[in-house]
């Protein structure tokens, strides 16, 4: 098969209205007198493994002065170093840890590839940031000297930066965004003590569950490590052999090396493996970093953190530029910049964006309305007859008996009001009281009353947000063995009179989508001139478990009805192997419902990093083409559909700001950026699809990696934006096109329901039904 080529930009957005935009990208130039950056291979004898980057760097630093005399200022990147100066091979002797290393530095020629130039620039800029006394955690740098304290939550937040250098249409640019890192203000030892007081009988397992996999920071030298295990057999009084072979206790080592006195002898040690060594750390001198599920579930903590971290647009842009100002004002960092003759602008890149309209929504009874481009929300507008509403004739409500009064009064009263407002054609649901909140009782009554003819069940489950014990068991059963659409509501939600009507409004729309209806549809979408199928693809990954492929494809001209195909993969199985099967099923179903197969297919692929794009091009697209070949061979496809494949990325550091009347604000919804800060030889664009409730707006980045449709880029961008308004869990715009979000939700629902045997195996019924049962 002929190798596939990444798509090239066919043009630029000309639709909508132009708007001046500032981006958090800054010009970066190295003055090398016209010469290219030179690369040198570095060899150590005795050999030091490539994975031991820190050790290689330390050995090389012993002869840094001599090396600069031969090749000039350089940047070292584990296996190679880069310099602006051409030189011949040089051999040096470095003594490190009483060992003589012979270092041979050999020129390999100028750096030519964009990827390698980008790698050099990022290594150089990281070395400059390293001179600002910032702490590197992951790939970001944080300032420990300006913490934001949240004493009520025993947390501190370090401000910092996420930066990357790349080559764009406007040349070499640095993208700088502000970032934050959450740290505990109590030590890991204190946290272990808290866990022990709450779980005295099983505290070791509780400690392991909480800390293994977490990132911790050592207080004495600000290094970060990932916890691999808790060693309960060791303590600060345990001994180890130092580099001279002498036995020393951890207590004595910390006293002599760091001047730290260990107070608690009754603590285990934390095992942390790095590329160089296995470290044993003392909990008393460590703090945990990052957010746990427990913190994310705490509304008050997240609210206070948002207030501390969500910066208004003008402040966020100023703080991004603040990194460059800090470099220029810091003697050590600025010397590095001057020595390399680097020119870094403190002025952000400016460009012209285009603002396109969100369009209109179609409802039942031929009603329609224009989407409010200011808010992107239409919560009130859709409280009417839905676009398509199947008759809801067989359905029931299940609940614990002690919630009967709550269900019969509060819930059913509100439900009847909503049914009247939306003009839903339905029979009265049958009420089923379950005698307890034990799963065995629920399973018994569900299995004895449900069959495939039942349209829907509503389950009022005991518990509060994210804490219902019955939810996982119920969903596993529904997904794998009892295929009846279900809608779950927590009894804690029903107890809140305020907002209950809004909740039930959303519930009735979800119920409609789950039984094959369409709550609303988008009017006059692009690509409507020929039968077109829109597809969302995402993969759920969880360490130590099966992955789940979520594949959702539209089967109607409004891109509103879906065939949903979850596929559970074995731990070592590639998702590509099931893509072909999914595509065959989707095209077959499309042909059944439309009388012909699709002429065009638009794929939105979520969850792919920049480094994985080529792998998707080479691995996943051939599988899709293989499905076309199979269908042609079976006589079900007269010719291959035209295909456009977009990778969707919402975890990005690019930010855009509207320059309006001398003020810096968030850009309007529907702003498209496809100039200046996009790839020089690719086909990518940014969309501002969802309003920021607080702080700066986050764009979504689209990469078109394959395109044989010949469609204008304006239409591709319009479809990508407008389909952000057709996700039936939210009456407004979301950050990705609806097929993408449905695929994510589908994969997540199966992946998160995994037990020791893996995720539930999808019942065959779900592969043939046209409903979004997993919402």
């Amino acid at each position: 098969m002929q190798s596939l080529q990444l798509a090239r930009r066919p043009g630029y957005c000309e639709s909508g209205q132009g708007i001046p935009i500032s981006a958090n990208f800054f010009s970066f130039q190295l003055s090398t007198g016209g010469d290219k950056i030179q690369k040198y291979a570095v060899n150590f004898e005795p050999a030091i493994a490539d994975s031991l980057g820190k050790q290689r760097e330390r050995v090389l630093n012993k002869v840094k002065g001599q090396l600069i005399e031969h090749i000039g200022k350089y940047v070292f990147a584990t296996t190679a170093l880069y310099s602006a100066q051409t030189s011949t091979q040089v051999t040096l002797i470095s003594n490190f840890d009483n060992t003589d290393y012979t270092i041979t530095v050999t020129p390999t020629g100028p750096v030519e590839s964009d990827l390698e130039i980008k790698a050099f620039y990022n290594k150089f800029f990281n070395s400059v940031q390293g001179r600002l006394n910032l702490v590197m955690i992951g790939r970001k740098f944080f300032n420990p000297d300006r913490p934001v304290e949240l004493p009520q939550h025993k947390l501190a937040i370090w401000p910092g930066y996420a930066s990357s250098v790349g080559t764009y249409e406007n040349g070499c640019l640095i993208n700088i965004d502000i970032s934050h890192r959450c740290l505990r203000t109590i030590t890991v030892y204190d946290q272990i003590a808290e866990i022990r007081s709450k779980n005295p009988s099983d505290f070791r397992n509780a400690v392991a569950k909480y800390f293994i996999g977490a990132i911790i920071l050592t207080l004495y030298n600000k290094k970060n490590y990932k916890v691999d295990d808790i060693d309960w057999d060791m303590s600060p009084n345990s001994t180890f052999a130092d580099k001279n072979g002498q036995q020393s206790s951890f207590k004595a080592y910390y006293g002599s090396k760091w001047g730290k006195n260990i107070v608690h002898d009754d603590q285990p040690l934390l095992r942390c493996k790095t590329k160089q060594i296995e470290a044993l750390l003392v909990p008393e001198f460590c703090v945990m970093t990052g957010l746990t599920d427990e913190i994310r579930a705490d509304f008050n903590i997240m609210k206070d953190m948002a207030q501390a971290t969500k910066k208004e647009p003008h402040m966020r842009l100023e703080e991004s530029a603040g990194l460059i100002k800090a470099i220029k004002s810091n003697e050590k960092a600025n010397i590095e910049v001057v020595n390399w003759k680097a020119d870094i602008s403190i002025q952000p890149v400016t460009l012209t964006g285009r603002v396109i309209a969100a369009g209109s929504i179609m409802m039942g009874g031929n009603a329609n309305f224009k989407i409010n481009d200011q808010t992107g929300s239409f919560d009130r507008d859709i409280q009417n007859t839905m676009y398509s509403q199947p008759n809801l004739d067989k359905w029931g409500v299940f609940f614990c008996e002690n919630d009967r009064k709550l269900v019969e009064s509060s819930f059913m009263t509100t439900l009847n009001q909503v049914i009247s407002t939306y003009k839903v054609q339905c029979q009265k649901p049958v009420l089923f009281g379950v005698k307890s909140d034990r799963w065995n009782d629920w399973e018994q009554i569900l299995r004895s009353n449900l069959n495939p003819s039942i349209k829907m069940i509503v389950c009022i489950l005991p518990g509060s947000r994210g804490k219902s014990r019955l939810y996982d068991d119920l969903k596993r059963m529904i997904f794998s063995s009892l295929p009846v659409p279900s809608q779950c509501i927590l009894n804690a939600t029903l107890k809140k009179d305020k907002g209950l009507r809004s909740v039930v409004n959303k519930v009735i729309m979800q119920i409609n989508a789950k039984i094959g209806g369409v709550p609303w549809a988008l009017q006059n979408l692009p690509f409507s001139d020929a039968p077109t199928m829109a597809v969302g693809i995402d993969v759920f990954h969880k360490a130590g478990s099966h992955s789940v492929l979520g594949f959702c494809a539209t089967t109607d001209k409004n891109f509103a009805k879906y065939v949903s195909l979850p596929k559970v993969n074995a731990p070592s199985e590639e998702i590509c192997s099931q893509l072909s099967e999914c595509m065959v099923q989707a095209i077959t179903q499309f042909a059944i419902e439309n009388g012909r197969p699709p002429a065009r297919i638009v794929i939105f692929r979520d969850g792919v990093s920049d480094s994985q794009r080529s792998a998707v091009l080479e691995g996943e697209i051939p599988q899709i083409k293989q499905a076309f070949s199979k269908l042609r061979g079976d006589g079900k496809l007269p010719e291959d559909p035209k295909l456009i494949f977009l990778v969707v990325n919402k975890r990005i550091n690019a930010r855009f700001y509207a320059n309006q009347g001398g003020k810096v604000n968030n850009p309007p919804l529907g702003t498209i950026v496809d100039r200046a800060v996009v790839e020089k030889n690719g086909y990518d664009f940014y969309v501002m699809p969802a309003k920021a409730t607080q702080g700066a707006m986050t764009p979504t980045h689209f990469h078109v990696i394959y395109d044989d449709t010949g469609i204008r880029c304006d239409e591709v961008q319009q479809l990508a934006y407008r389909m952000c308004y057709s996700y039936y869990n939210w009456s407004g715009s979301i950050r990705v096109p609806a097929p993408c979000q449905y695929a994510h939700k589908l994969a997540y629902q199966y992946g998160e329901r995994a037990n020791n045997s893996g995720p539930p195996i999808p019942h065959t019924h779900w592969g043939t039904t046209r409903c979004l049962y997993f919402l």
Side-chain angles (χ1 to χ4, degrees), residues 544-547 569-573:
S545 181
H546 300 64
S547 62
N569 299 305
S572 60
E573 188 179 14

Side-chain angles (χ1 to χ4, degrees), residues 62-80:
K62 291 285 186 178
V63 292
K64 185 173 183 177
Q66 299 174 57
L67 191 54
I68 288 175
E69 289 180 10
H70 285 86
I71 69 170
K73 292 288 292 184
Y74 66 85
V75 169
F76 181 57
T78 308
T79 59

Side-chain angles (χ1 to χ4, degrees), residues 23-26 125 129 160-165 173-179 316-317 319-325 327 344-345 653-655 657:
N24 63 338
F25 290 78
F26 304 85
F125 195 67
Q129 289 184 85
Y161 304 97
S163 63
S164 64
V165 186
L173 306 174
I174 303 175
N175 171 228
I176 303 173
D177 190 30
I178 62 171
S179 186
R316 194 175 189 108
L317 185 56
E319 290 195 23
S320 293
L323 174 59
I324 300 171
K325 293 175 183 176
I327 289 170
I344 308 174
S345 172
N653 297 317
R655 297 291 183 272
Y657 308 93

Side-chain angles (χ1 to χ4, degrees), residues 399-625:
F399 51 88
C400 291
E401 275 294 350
N402 57 7
D403 286 329
R404 179 176 288 277
K405 186 175 180 181
L406 183 69
V407 171
E408 291 182 343
S409 60
S410 182
F411 175 65
M412 291 304 298
T413 300
T414 308
L415 180 64
N416 288 330
Q417 292 171 355
V418 172
I419 286 172
S420 175
T421 298
Y422 285 86
K423 301 179 178 64
V424 177
Q425 298 297 312
C426 68
Q427 303 296 321
K428 184 179 179 180
V430 180
L431 302 185
F432 295 90
V434 185
K435 62 184 179 182
S436 79
D437 62 357
R438 293 194 301 267
W439 171 243
N440 287 343
D441 292 331
W442 276 76
E443 183 179 25
Q444 182 180 357
I445 199 168
L446 286 168
R447 289 192 182 278
S448 61
N449 286 282
L450 298 189
N451 60 67
S453 70
I454 304 298
K455 294 282 184 67
M456 165 65 63
I457 60 170
V458 177
C459 297
I460 311 297
L461 303 180
S464 55
R465 185 181 177 186
K467 296 179 181 177
S468 174
R469 293 183 294 104
L470 297 172
Y471 185 81
D472 284 349
D473 290 322
L474 175 66
K475 289 298 182 181
R476 269 195 293 268
M477 184 182 74
I478 294 296
F479 290 163
S480 60
S481 62
L482 203 64
V484 176
S486 65
Q487 178 67 43
C488 297
I489 308 170
L490 297 174
N491 63 0
T493 303
L494 301 186
K495 292 173 184 176
K496 300 175 184 176
D497 291 335
K498 186 178 179 181
L500 181 58
R501 175 63 187 262
S502 178
V503 169
V504 180
N505 282 344
K506 292 178 172 60
V507 164
I508 206 70
M509 285 189 290
Q510 287 187 40
I511 287 175
N512 188 40
K514 289 180 178 183
I515 63 173
V518 177
W520 66 83
L522 303 173
Q523 192 173 41
N524 297 327
L525 281 171
F527 287 62
S528 58
D529 59 316
T532 302
M533 182 168 76
V535 178
I537 299 173
D538 197 8
V539 181
F540 175 91
H541 293 287
K542 195 170 188 177
S545 181
H546 300 64
S547 62
V548 180
L549 166 66
F551 185 103
C552 293
T554 62
T555 58
D556 69 318
K557 65 179 182 179
N558 295 317
F559 300 145
K561 293 180 70 68
Y562 286 82
V563 53
S564 306
L565 302 168
K567 299 291 183 181
V568 177
N569 299 305
S572 60
E573 188 179 14
E574 291 292 327
I575 69 130
C576 302
S577 61
Q578 307 220 40
L579 270 181
S580 183
E581 179 186 342
C582 288
M583 186 58 73
V584 167
Q585 287 181 255
I587 292 175
T588 301
Q589 191 62 42
F590 187 101
I592 291 171
E593 298 193 16
N594 294 275
R596 59 159 295 178
R600 272 195 302 256
I601 297 176
V602 185
I603 295 179
F604 297 102
R605 172 68 158 96
D606 203 357
V608 177
S609 66
D610 288 351
S611 61
Q612 295 172 319
R613 269 186 275 142
S614 293
V616 169
L617 179 72
E618 296 164 6
E620 297 184 16
I621 293 176
Q623 287 293 319
I624 293 163
K625 297 277 190 178

Side-chain angles (χ1 to χ4, degrees), residues 204-216:
R204 288 192 177 186
N205 283 335
V207 168
K209 186 176 180 180
Y210 195 81
F211 285 105
I212 290 177
I215 304 297
I216 59 170

